[in-house]
Amino acid sequence: MGGGSPAPFPREEAPPAGPPLAQVAIVIDDFGQDLSMAKRFLNIPISITFSILPGLKHSREIAELATVHGHEVMIHMPMEPEGYPEKNPGPGALLVSMSRRQIEKSLDDAFRENPYARGINNHMGSRFTASKEQMERVLSRLKKQGLYFLDSYTSPNSVGVHLAKQMGVATIKRDIFLDHVPTETFVRKQIRELIRRARIQGRAVAIGHPYPVTLKVLQEEALSFEKEGIEVVPLGRLVNGG
């Protein structure tokens, strides 16, 4: 009878049968220019939501590739920052001075280029997202299209989430940036913070960028989410509460 061999085997029960403790979404902004880097992000073994700038060389191709590979896609919509025009948000940007018709045309152009998009988030936009009148115009069009709004929250003065909720537009706010300090140590620390916030709130949203360091750390940390009981989901799952 001796030997006592398989003592550790009961630990096989470790993965919980029930739902995960929390969910996170990881949005990577600024796709559209570098096709080879976008292809590398396709192969990270967790759900990455691709947020693609409109009007760039590979914007449509990256949107198609990400969709084919099962990743959710959104539009990283340029919006006017404080300090414009010295700070330039790029082609197709929404400006505070625009009419409703001009805003709708810019959005429609972006939607035509990227018909796969499930929603948008703001690129820059610290001035634009603080304008209730202009954000109402954007959100009205999103509501008509059945799209969500992720507030990148580049300014504490943003009215985006509050107004979207009032208007019945699916919405959520960014919790952390992963890589505004682009070092391995910092990105790993931010992943830990993402997990911590998700446990407290039940869900959390991170925004990163297509940097080599971000790619490397996400590849290396991909399995740590499951080990921590955290499910990485497309952003739309969080926005729509499931």
Side-chain angles (χ1 to χ4, degrees), residues 35 39 52 57-67 113:
L35 181 60
K39 287 179 177 178
I52 301 168
K57 183 177 181 181
H58 297 292
S59 296
R60 186 178 182 97
E61 185 176 1
I62 291 170
E64 290 173 347
L65 276 172
T67 301
E113 179 187 61

Side-chain angles (χ1 to χ4, degrees), residues 9-76:
F9 288 155
R11 296 183 66 86
E12 291 278 300
E13 68 187 14
L21 297 173
Q23 294 177 322
V24 301
I26 298 174
V27 178
I28 302 297
D29 283 347
D30 292 354
F31 286 113
Q33 195 66 40
D34 189 334
L35 181 60
S36 63
M37 181 59 79
K39 287 179 177 178
R40 294 173 72 189
F41 271 86
L42 289 172
N43 296 317
I44 298 175
I46 52 176
S47 179
I48 299 293
T49 300
F50 280 61
S51 190
I52 301 168
L53 288 160
L56 298 184
K57 183 177 181 181
H58 297 292
S59 296
R60 186 178 182 97
E61 185 176 1
I62 291 170
E64 290 173 347
L65 276 172
T67 301
V68 166
H69 282 77
H71 292 279
E72 188 162 298
V73 167
M74 55 192 301
I75 294 168
H76 194 33

Side-chain angles (χ1 to χ4, degrees), residues 21-23 193-204 230:
L21 297 173
Q23 294 177 322
E193 175 65 10
L194 176 65
I195 290 170
R196 186 187 75 84
R197 293 224 195 162
R199 284 180 164 163
I200 292 169
Q201 301 167 182
R203 64 182 193 175
I230 305 294

Side-chain angles (χ1 to χ4, degrees), residues 25-174:
I26 298 174
V27 178
I28 302 297
D29 283 347
D30 292 354
F31 286 113
Q33 195 66 40
D34 189 334
L35 181 60
S36 63
M37 181 59 79
K39 287 179 177 178
R40 294 173 72 189
F41 271 86
L42 289 172
N43 296 317
I44 298 175
I46 52 176
S47 179
I48 299 293
T49 300
F50 280 61
S51 190
I52 301 168
L53 288 160
L56 298 184
K57 183 177 181 181
H58 297 292
S59 296
R60 186 178 182 97
E61 185 176 1
I62 291 170
E64 290 173 347
L65 276 172
T67 301
V68 166
H69 282 77
H71 292 279
E72 188 162 298
V73 167
M74 55 192 301
I75 294 168
H76 194 33
M77 194 70 201
M79 299 184 188
E80 182 176 338
E82 297 291 348
Y84 177 82
E86 288 76 19
K87 291 182 181 176
N88 184 0
L94 305 180
L95 305 177
V96 172
S97 60
M98 283 180 166
S99 67
R100 179 181 291 271
R101 180 170 297 196
Q102 288 172 316
I103 286 173
E104 290 181 349
K105 181 183 184 306
S106 289
L107 288 170
D108 289 345
D109 287 347
F111 298 151
R112 272 193 298 274
E113 179 187 61
N114 184 351
Y116 311 97
R118 300 281 308 282
I120 76 168
N121 69 321
N122 52 296
H123 171 60
M124 299 190 180
S126 53
R127 186 173 182 210
F128 192 94
T129 59
S131 169
K132 184 176 180 181
E133 179 184 15
Q134 297 297 59
M135 284 303 297
E136 184 275 331
R137 292 171 173 176
V138 171
L139 293 166
S140 291
R141 181 47 60 110
L142 295 185
K143 185 172 184 177
K144 185 182 290 187
Q145 299 282 129
L147 303 176
Y148 61 70
F149 175 64
L150 164 64
D151 194 337
S152 302
Y153 205 60
T154 56
S155 166
N157 298 319
S158 174
V159 299
V161 168
H162 179 71
L163 191 57
K165 287 178 178 176
Q166 283 186 336
M167 295 174 63
V169 177
T171 189
I172 200 166
K173 180 170 76 72
R174 181 268 312 164

Side-chain angles (χ1 to χ4, degrees), residues 204-224:
V205 179
I207 290 179
H209 301 85
Y211 303 150
V213 66
T214 307
L215 175 75
K216 181 177 188 291
V217 174
L218 284 175
Q219 286 173 327
E220 292 173 355
E221 296 287 341
L223 295 178
S224 68

